[in-house]
Amino acid sequence: GATPSSLSPAVKPGAQLRAARKELQRLERELDRCSAREAELHELMAQSASDHAQLTQLSAELTQLGAAREQLESEWLEAAQQLEA
């Protein structure tokens, strides 16, 4: 096995790039899921126009989803900047 003194403490640049690309891909998939769910919620809201309780619940979920999307977009920008660095 490798001894601690033979292990490099720094991560290789190629490995960092692969990790950053992988993270970008994960975030893009999450953003796609958010977009799909937002479209679904808008459709459900249109179908529930006369159900105030349902509209309130759907609106709350849409608000939470918007906050999650903002966080994902922020993480995506950070990961993209790491790739450019």
Side-chain angles (χ1 to χ4, degrees):
T3 60
S5 62
S6 69
L7 296 175
S8 173
V11 177
K12 294 179 181 159
Q16 285 179 325
L17 282 175
R18 281 191 299 278
R21 284 189 191 112
K22 205 171 175 184
E23 179 67 3
L24 270 179
Q25 289 172 346
R26 181 190 71 79
L27 291 167
E28 287 169 357
R29 285 191 303 271
E30 288 293 320
L31 285 166
D32 286 345
R33 283 189 210 113
C34 277
S35 294
R37 183 61 183 154
E38 284 175 336
E40 186 179 326
L41 286 171
H42 285 291
E43 180 65 30
L44 289 170
M45 289 173 85
Q47 294 171 6
S48 304
S50 61
D51 185 344
H52 181 71
Q54 181 72 7
L55 276 176
T56 301
Q57 181 182 356
L58 292 170
S59 180
E61 184 177 346
L62 191 59
T63 299
Q64 290 175 342
L65 194 58
R69 175 191 264 293
E70 285 182 23
Q71 178 63 38
L72 286 168
E73 288 172 345
S74 175
E75 290 176 26
W76 185 92
L77 283 173
E78 288 178 26
Q81 288 173 348
Q82 286 178 1
L83 272 180
E84 292 176 1

